[in-house]
Amino acid sequence: MSSKKVDDFLSGLIHPLKEEMQTIRKIIMEVDTAITEEVKWGGPSFNYKGDIATFSPRVKDQAVLVFHQGEMLSARTVLEPAPKGKAYAKFSSMAEIEAKSEDLRAVIKEWIQFMDEK
């Protein structure tokens, strides 16, 4: 369910890839109606029975999602390994979002399945 807090955060955000971030947000939120969002750790954050990922708006040349427990997700073209068990999904353009959207959806679905099996 989308959040007014995230709407307000994004409307006030000055970022060269703000439109891309909004598209990524829409993709994630459409995967499952039980996904929630809030502003946490300095950016929009997505949750399903635990923290899935958070945007890092400090990075200006890409729209970056930090997957907090990315190491437990299958290696997919959309994820890059990061320190402390995290993974990054980085997008530089709408074309890249379109090209990686199915992988992004698959990663979110995998997280949901993992949390449902816990």
Side-chain angles (χ1 to χ4, degrees):
M1 186 166 94
S2 69
S3 138
K4 180 173 176 1
K5 209 179 218 183
V6 174
D7 290 340
D8 293 346
F9 179 91
L10 288 172
S11 69
L13 181 66
I14 298 168
H15 193 285
L17 296 172
K18 180 166 134 174
E19 189 178 337
E20 285 80 354
M21 291 171 77
Q22 290 171 323
T23 299
I24 294 164
R25 174 192 184 199
K26 184 175 187 281
I27 290 168
I28 292 170
M29 296 303 290
E30 287 175 348
V31 171
D32 193 298
T33 57
I35 293 173
T36 59
E37 61 178 5
E38 61 185 297
V39 176
K40 194 172 178 180
W41 298 301
S45 187
F46 304 94
N47 185 293
Y48 178 88
K49 298 181 182 180
D51 296 310
I52 305 171
T54 301
F55 275 112
S56 181
R58 291 179 300 279
V59 178
K60 298 296 183 187
D61 62 336
Q62 293 178 309
V64 177
L65 272 174
V66 179
F67 283 81
H68 304 288
Q69 297 179 48
E71 68 184 357
M72 53 183 245
L73 299 166
S74 297
R76 301 195 186 272
T77 59
V78 75
L79 295 180
E80 298 176 16
K84 299 181 183 173
K86 294 176 172 53
Y88 299 133
K90 300 175 181 179
F91 304 89
S92 300
S93 65
M94 284 294 190
E96 190 173 3
I97 292 168
E98 193 170 310
K100 294 180 176 179
S101 65
E102 285 309 312
D103 271 354
L104 178 58
R105 284 184 186 92
V107 167
I108 301 298
K109 288 175 184 173
E110 183 180 355
W111 173 265
I112 289 168
Q113 181 179 352
F114 175 79
M115 293 307 284
D116 284 346
E117 291 171 357
K118 264 183 131 178

